[in-house]
């Protein structure tokens, strides 16, 4: 199913975009390979997720957390922390950045508090409180699976 999530069927109309952010699919696929003890495949996917964040440092959304977690898994903890630190510094007051930073550092109570605030302010847009970050809800679900 994760492989099918990367497909761009013609019936969608516009076709595949020039730049595709597959970090969520690749991160979850890497986790599957990890559980299957297929380290080579896992490492390749984690490297892809990590390198996307380096390619486009301006693309800071909830997927940035996946890049940081991938970097940490690859043994690049300082680089991972710097990636999230840049995001929170460049977007002061961004609750998604604050939530991601809390998840990354293991401050689960703080992450839950921030997420509660986000949800309470979302109102009727609870599924997608941030239209500029359409995968935020999916990232939350991925983190709740303890995939990090």
């Amino acid at each position: 199913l994760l492989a099918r999530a990367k497909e761009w069927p013609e019936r969608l109309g516009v076709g595949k975009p020039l730049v595709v952010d597959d970090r969520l699919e690749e991160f979850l696929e890497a986790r599957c390979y990890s559980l299957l003890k297929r380290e080579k495949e896992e490492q390749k996917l984690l490297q892809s997720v990590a390198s996307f964040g380096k390619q486009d440092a301006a693309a800071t959304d909830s997927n940035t957390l996946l890049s940081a977690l991938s970097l940490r898994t690859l043994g690049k903890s300082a680089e991972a922390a710097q990636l999230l630190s840049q995001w929170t510094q460049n977007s002061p007051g961004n609750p998604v950045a604050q939530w991601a930073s809390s998840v990354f550092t293991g401050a689960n109570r703080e992450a839950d508090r921030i997420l509660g605030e986000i949800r309470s302010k979302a109102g009727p847009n609870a599924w997608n409180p941030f239209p500029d970050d359409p995968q935020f809800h999916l990232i939350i679900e991925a983190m709740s699976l303890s995939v990090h």
Side-chain angles (χ1 to χ4, degrees):
L1 290 175
L2 288 170
R4 292 199 65 204
K6 297 179 189 179
E7 293 177 1
W8 290 88
E10 286 184 35
R11 67 180 179 278
L12 288 179
V14 295
K16 186 175 180 176
L18 294 175
V19 178
V20 178
D21 188 346
D22 284 331
R23 285 182 283 180
L24 177 59
E25 295 86 350
E26 290 179 348
F27 183 83
L28 292 172
E29 193 174 354
R31 181 62 181 149
C32 291
Y33 282 128
S34 172
L35 294 171
L36 293 169
K37 308 283 190 239
R38 293 172 58 179
E39 188 175 332
K40 190 175 184 179
E41 292 95 336
E42 175 196 13
Q43 296 292 310
K44 182 180 177 185
L45 288 163
L46 289 173
Q47 191 62 48
S48 176
V49 174
S51 67
F52 190 95
K54 293 178 192 175
Q55 291 172 18
D56 191 358
T60 48
D61 56 20
S62 54
N63 280 311
T64 303
L65 173 59
L66 303 180
S67 293
L69 292 170
S70 296
L71 284 165
R72 182 169 66 189
T73 302
L74 292 167
K76 300 176 182 180
S77 295
E79 196 174 333
Q82 181 182 8
L83 180 64
L84 285 174
S85 177
Q86 285 176 328
W87 183 19
T88 56
Q89 289 174 6
N90 292 340
S91 303
N94 181 332
V96 177
Q98 294 168 354
W99 172 81
S101 182
S102 296
V103 169
F104 181 79
T105 60
N108 297 330
R109 285 190 178 170
E110 180 65 7
D112 289 343
R113 183 192 66 74
I114 294 167
L115 188 55
E117 285 182 13
I118 290 170
R119 287 181 171 153
S120 70
K121 292 177 183 176
N125 296 324
W127 172 260
N128 186 18
F130 301 100
D132 293 339
D133 193 350
Q135 289 194 319
F136 179 56
H137 183 76
L138 297 173
I139 302 295
I140 293 168
E141 293 301 316
M143 295 301 103
S144 72
L145 296 172
S146 299
V147 294
H148 54 287

